[in-house]
Amino acid sequence: EVQLVESGGGLVQPGGSLRLACAASGFIFSDTTMSWVRQAPGKGLEWVSTIGASTINTYYTKSVEGRFTISRDNAKNTLYLQLNSLKTEDTAMYYCAQGGATLATGTPPRGQGTQVTVSS
């Protein structure tokens, strides 16, 4: 059974940083493209970032480019998202997902997500 367990969220002031983690199990993580998506209150799933299985290729939505960094540790079956220079509009529940942007936003999240709140 596929399991994705997100952690690392919290309350942070604008300009602050957080590091999210996603522990994966139940599939061959090292062979799987992975993504982060987020959902703000009252809105749909928004694609944030994708990383290829080999870690070479990374992609970001325009609003987070230069501020967020996606990475993975295939030995630990863990996906990460470093969030820097956070803005209030980054406030959302963050989920990790298998696949790229289309699959990640077209499939209901498997994990419970981790809440990121950016507020002064």
Side-chain angles (χ1 to χ4, degrees):
E1 179 190 358
V2 172
Q3 288 197 328
L4 299 169
V5 180
E6 300 92 346
S7 62
L11 173 63
V12 64
Q13 292 186 340
S17 297
L18 286 171
R19 190 191 194 205
L20 309 184
C22 168
S25 61
F27 63 101
I28 303 175
F29 180 77
S30 58
D31 287 349
T32 305
T33 293
M34 296 294 295
S35 294
W36 286 97
V37 298
R38 64 187 180 186
Q39 187 167 27
K43 296 191 176 181
L45 285 174
E46 177 191 19
W47 171 71
V48 176
S49 182
T50 294
I51 185 168
S54 66
T55 78
I56 293 174
N57 298 315
T58 58
Y59 309 91
Y60 300 91
T61 192
K62 207 172 187 86
S63 63
V64 311
E65 217 157 19
R67 301 188 297 120
F68 291 8
T69 303
I70 192 170
S71 62
R72 64 192 297 162
D73 186 336
N74 286 341
K76 295 182 178 179
N77 282 4
T78 303
L79 178 72
Y80 301 100
L81 187 68
Q82 178 69 40
L83 289 64
N84 295 331
S85 302
L86 281 160
K87 304 177 180 180
T88 55
E89 52 262 44
D90 295 318
T91 294
M93 186 73 77
Y94 284 70
Y95 302 92
C96 62
Q98 296 169 290
T102 301
L103 184 62
T105 56
T107 306
R110 289 184 179 272
Q112 83 289 350
T114 187
Q115 178 68 41
V116 172
T117 302
V118 185
S119 175
S120 55

